[in-house]
Amino acid sequence: IKAPMPGLILEINVEVGQSVKENDPLLILEAMKMENSFLSPRDGVIKSIAVEKGNAVDKGQLLVEFE
């Protein structure tokens, strides 16, 4: 999952190795004073988390990778 816009990571709700179901909350990105929740697009296992809480991210930057 990549960032659709620049912003700030407010919260990360998953850990590496965690199994997630479709529509489970993954993280919250704040952009332009709005909080955007990212939900899992499918069932899967989290392979890596490329950001940390408080990080500023650019558009297109990798956030979460699935196995």
Side-chain angles (χ1 to χ4, degrees):
I1 296 177
K2 295 184 178 181
M5 63 196 90
L8 186 68
I9 302 297
L10 291 184
E11 197 174 306
I12 298 175
N13 302 319
V14 292
E15 295 177 5
V16 173
Q18 180 177 335
S19 292
V20 294
K21 299 261 184 235
E22 187 174 354
N23 294 326
D24 280 357
L26 300 178
L27 55 85
I28 298 176
L29 174 73
E30 181 186 56
M32 299 178 287
K33 305 280 186 202
M34 291 176 51
E35 290 184 8
N36 301 283
S37 281
F38 286 83
L39 304 178
S40 177
R42 58 182 171 87
D43 292 0
V45 177
I46 303 299
K47 181 178 179 183
S48 68
I49 301 171
V51 293
E52 294 179 10
K53 185 176 177 180
N55 280 20
V57 297
D58 294 321
K59 182 177 180 176
Q61 183 174 334
L62 181 67
L63 303 175
V64 176
E65 189 175 17
F66 283 85
E67 284 186 6

